[in-house]
Every structure is written in C-alpha cells, then in structure tokens.
C-alpha cells in the first residue's frame, strides 16, 4: 500500500517513470489471487494509457481480461490503440502486409468518444489505405480505401491535398479491379480539384495523377491517350533534378504505350535512358530496375532479339528472387520464359 500510495502521488505529479516503478514494486508483493493486485494493475494501466504507452499497457490489460473478461468493453479503446501502435511499428519497418491486420483490428475496436478518437479514426483509415495501396491488395482493401476517401473528405475538405491522396488510392484500386467507369469518375474529380490548387502546388499533383491515368489507359488498351498523359508527367519531372526518381518512373511508363504501338526504336531509346539513369543513381537491384528490365525484355522478344531477351530474363529472375523469394508471380513468369528459351 505504501508503494501504491507513492505511485499515485508520482502519477499526480506527472512523474511517469517513478509512478511506474512504484506500481510495479507494489505488484511484486501481491499474488494474482489477491484482489488488490488487480486494483493496482488497473492503476498501472491508467498510467500507461495516460502517457499513450499502449503497448506497455497491454502487458497488464491482457492478463486482466483473462481474469475479468467482462471488462473487455471497458478497455476496447485501449486495445484499439495497442493494435494501432503495433501497426505503426510494422509500417515504420516497411512491413505493410503485417500492419494491415493490426489496423483492421483497430477499426473494429475503436469506439470514438471524443475528438481525439474521431481524429485517430481518420488517421487509421489513411494508414490502412497506404498499406493496402503499397501492397496492391485492392481485392481485399477496396472497402477500406473507399471509407478512407469519405473520412478524409469530411475531415480535411474536398479541396485538400489529403483528399487528393485518398482519391489516388481509390482510382488505382478501381482500375486494378477493372471497375474502369468508377475509376474514371474518380480521376475526373481529382483533376477538377487539381485545377483549383495554387499554381505552386498544382504541378506535382497533376504529374502524379497523369502517371496513374496513363496506366489506367494502358490497362484498357488506349495507348494514344496513355501516351499523352505519360508525356505530360515526364515533362514536369524532367524540369527539376529533384524529381529524378519520378522522372525514371515516368520514362518507363511512357515506354509502354510507345512499345505497344510498335514504335520499337523510340521505346528502346526511352528504356535505355531509364536503365542508365536507374543504374547510375539507384542501381538495378530493386523494383524499378526489374520493371525497366521487364519492358526491355518485352521489346526484345517482340523484335526477335532472343539472346538479348534471355539476358534480361535471367537478370529479372535473379532480381526477383532477391526481392520476393521464389513464391512471387514474377518468379514463375520468368521461370516459364527462361525454360521456353
């Protein structure tokens, strides 16, 4: 009781470390069969959650709920924020797939009580949209991406950059699932918002959507329209060395409609430019290097240069194994081609 009283005093004085130490010492004198143990444990949970240390709090919430399952509703939001923080750890470590189940659990558990909870829910939908968008799993993620757009529009406003980011994920999601009419409506809405942006903000957003809209037209076989948007994106990114990585992506994107229209010399020139820029600045052992090599392979296959195609297929195979392991679609695709060759 002395340690518990001292912990309460430290907590009231906003001394987190001392309060935690005293609560833990108080618990060390008690067994879990003692009702006072759980009283102090709940004090410790309150301390941890007051300082937004939900992962630490979970160490006490989990055994508490095993002992008193009827308290689950009471601790629903604390569990939600625990899952949010676990998701953030995965996201920060680049493991987007691992982050998704934690964010889904957060959405399931979080019961907005105040403005902080409501704002947290907006952020969570932004995070889960980012995770689904990065992994490309729109088959599962589209409902969350749709809800994210609604949440962001309501919170930030329909002319906000945040809403444009949400529309970007939504348009890509619809296009990935071949819901082209819905995707096109989203693109048109986005371009109207971009037209209303200040001139110093407009270019970057327009180029971003232009690249995606080019890909949208490629998916439908409209290569003339795709080339228009891909060229406009490339013009913007070429004007500033700061956008070199985006420029390489735009060159590679432009090569696709050019190649698809049978303009092999132009396509090869673009792809060699992209390949050289990528090699010099970022290396080829990455996703972008694989994408450029894939387009070059397609070019060489179409123009009957089998030996050159085989060289790039071998590179793609090795690169893809290093990045994804032997379970990816690209690995199987390349293995098939190299076997045929």
């Amino acid at each position: 009781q002395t340690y518990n009283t001292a912990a309460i005093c430290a907590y009231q004085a906003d001394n987190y470390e001392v309060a935690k130490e005293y609560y833990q010492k108080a618990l060390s004198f008690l067994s879990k069969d003692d009702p006072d143990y759980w009283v102090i444990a709940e004090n410790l949970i309150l301390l941890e959650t007051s300082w937004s240390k939900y992962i630490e709090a979970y160490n006490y919430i989990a055994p508490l709920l095993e002992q008193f399952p009827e308290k689950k509703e009471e601790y629903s939001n604390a569990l939600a924020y625990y899952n949010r923080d676990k998701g953030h750890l995965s996201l920060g470590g680049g493991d987007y797939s691992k982050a998704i189940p934690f964010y889904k659990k957060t959405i399931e558990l979080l019961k907005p009580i105040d403005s902080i909870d409501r704002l947290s829910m907006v952020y969570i939908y932004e995070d889960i949209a980012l995770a689904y968008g990065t992994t490309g799993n729109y088959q599962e993620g589209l409902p969350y991406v749709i809800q994210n757009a609604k949440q962001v529009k309501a919170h930030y406003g329909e002319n906000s950059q945040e809403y444009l980011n949400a529309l970007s994920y939504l348009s890509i999601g619809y296009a990935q699932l071949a819901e082209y009419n819905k995707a096109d409506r989203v693109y048109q809405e986005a371009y109207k918002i971009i037209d209303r942006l200040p001139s110093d903000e407009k270019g970057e957003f327009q180029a971003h959507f232009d690249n995606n809209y080019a890909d949208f037209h490629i998916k439908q076989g409209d290569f003339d329209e795709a080339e228009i948007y891909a060229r406009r994106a490339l013009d913007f990114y070429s004007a500033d060395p700061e956008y070199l990585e985006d420029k390489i992506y735009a060159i590679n994107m432009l090569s696709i409609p050019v190649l698809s229209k049978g303009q092999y010399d132009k396509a090869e020139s673009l792809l060699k430019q992209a390949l050289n820029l990528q090699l010099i600045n970022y290396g080829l052992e990455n996703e972008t290097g694989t994408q450029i090599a894939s387009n070059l392979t397609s070019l060489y296959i179409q123009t009957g240069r089998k030996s050159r195609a085989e060289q790039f297929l071998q590179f793609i195979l090795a690169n893809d194994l290093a990045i994804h392991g032997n379970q990816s679609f690209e690995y199987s695709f390349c293995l098939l081609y190299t076997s045929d060759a």
Side-chain angles (χ1 to χ4, degrees):
Q1 288 301 329
T2 301
Y3 279 122
N4 185 49
T5 302
I8 293 171
C9 292
Y11 170 70
Q12 292 172 342
D14 288 334
N15 194 329
Y16 167 78
E17 294 294 343
V18 172
K20 181 174 182 177
E21 179 185 356
Y22 285 150
Y23 277 135
Q24 289 176 330
K25 284 184 177 179
L27 288 177
S28 70
F29 288 101
L30 300 169
S31 73
K32 292 182 179 180
D33 295 328
D34 190 325
D36 286 341
Y37 178 95
W38 300 109
V39 173
I40 296 171
E42 290 199 271
N43 288 342
L44 184 49
I45 291 168
L46 177 61
L47 171 72
E48 299 285 18
T49 55
S50 297
W51 285 74
S52 298
K53 296 181 179 290
Y54 294 99
I55 292 178
E56 290 86 344
Y58 185 75
N59 294 326
Y60 302 97
I61 294 173
L64 176 73
L65 295 183
E66 286 182 13
Q67 191 77 10
F68 305 102
E70 67 275 11
K71 288 180 174 284
K72 185 175 181 180
E73 190 68 22
E74 180 182 343
Y75 286 98
S76 180
N77 279 8
L79 290 169
Y81 287 125
Y82 160 77
N83 279 278
R84 177 202 63 184
D85 290 353
K86 292 287 285 185
H88 287 352
L89 286 174
S90 297
L91 204 69
D95 195 340
Y96 295 91
S97 295
K98 188 176 179 181
I100 288 171
F102 289 117
Y103 289 142
K104 289 173 71 174
K105 195 67 176 176
T106 303
I107 291 168
E108 175 190 331
L109 291 170
L110 187 59
K111 308 293 189 292
I113 297 171
D114 54 27
S115 59
I116 294 175
D117 293 332
R118 288 189 286 274
L119 183 59
S120 295
M121 188 66 87
V122 173
Y123 292 156
I124 289 301
Y125 271 104
E126 288 184 289
D127 290 331
I128 199 169
L130 168 63
Y132 274 121
T134 305
T135 59
N137 184 8
Y138 287 103
Q139 188 70 45
E140 177 186 308
L142 188 61
Y144 294 96
V145 174
I146 292 171
Q147 185 61 27
N148 173 57
K150 293 177 180 177
Q151 294 258 5
V152 167
K153 183 178 182 180
H155 181 74
Y156 296 104
E158 66 178 355
N159 293 317
S160 64
Q161 295 184 6
E162 290 83 2
Y163 185 48
L164 277 173
N165 289 330
L167 291 180
S168 176
Y169 289 124
L170 184 56
S171 58
I172 294 171
Y174 279 135
Q176 290 280 32
L177 299 179
E179 296 189 37
Y180 296 121
N181 289 336
K182 290 181 180 179
D184 199 36
R185 285 197 294 270
V186 176
Y187 277 116
Q188 297 312 314
E189 181 181 1
Y191 278 119
K192 287 178 182 177
I193 296 170
I194 290 169
D195 284 341
R196 296 194 291 267
L197 289 176
S199 57
D200 60 334
E201 298 175 5
K202 179 178 178 179
E204 188 170 0
F205 274 101
Q206 180 172 278
H208 171 79
F209 274 91
D210 282 347
N211 260 335
N212 291 342
Y213 205 34
D215 184 60
F216 167 80
H217 286 293
I218 288 167
K219 284 181 168 62
Q220 298 177 89
D222 189 351
F223 301 118
D224 288 331
E225 199 73 10
E227 184 175 352
I228 291 171
Y229 286 97
R231 285 194 183 280
R232 189 167 75 173
L234 179 57
D235 287 344
F236 173 81
Y237 291 131
S238 297
D240 190 338
E242 177 187 346
Y243 294 111
L244 177 59
E245 196 168 359
D246 297 296
K247 176 183 176 180
I248 295 169
Y249 181 87
I251 295 170
N252 191 47
M253 178 63 71
L254 177 58
S255 74
I256 299 172
V258 172
L259 174 60
S260 299
K261 292 195 293 184
Q263 299 172 1
Y264 299 120
D265 289 343
K266 289 182 180 179
E268 186 169 10
S269 177
L270 287 167
L271 287 167
K272 284 183 175 179
Q273 182 187 1
L275 188 73
N276 289 333
L277 287 172
Q278 182 69 19
L279 176 63
I280 292 168
N281 293 281
Y282 306 107
L284 298 177
E285 290 74 25
N286 45 57
E287 295 281 6
T288 302
T290 299
Q291 290 167 3
I292 296 168
S294 295
N295 289 334
L296 276 165
T297 301
S298 179
L299 168 70
Y300 291 135
I301 289 172
Q302 291 181 49
T303 54
R305 286 175 277 181
K306 180 179 175 181
S307 61
R308 291 292 287 155
E310 190 171 353
Q311 288 174 6
F312 277 101
L313 281 169
Q314 293 290 353
F315 165 75
I316 296 168
L317 177 61
N319 215 24
D320 197 61
L321 275 169
I323 296 171
H324 299 292
N326 63 359
Q327 298 301 314
S328 71
F329 168 78
E330 291 86 356
Y331 171 85
S332 302
F333 180 79
C334 294
L335 189 61
L336 173 64
Y337 264 98
T338 49
S339 298
D340 288 344

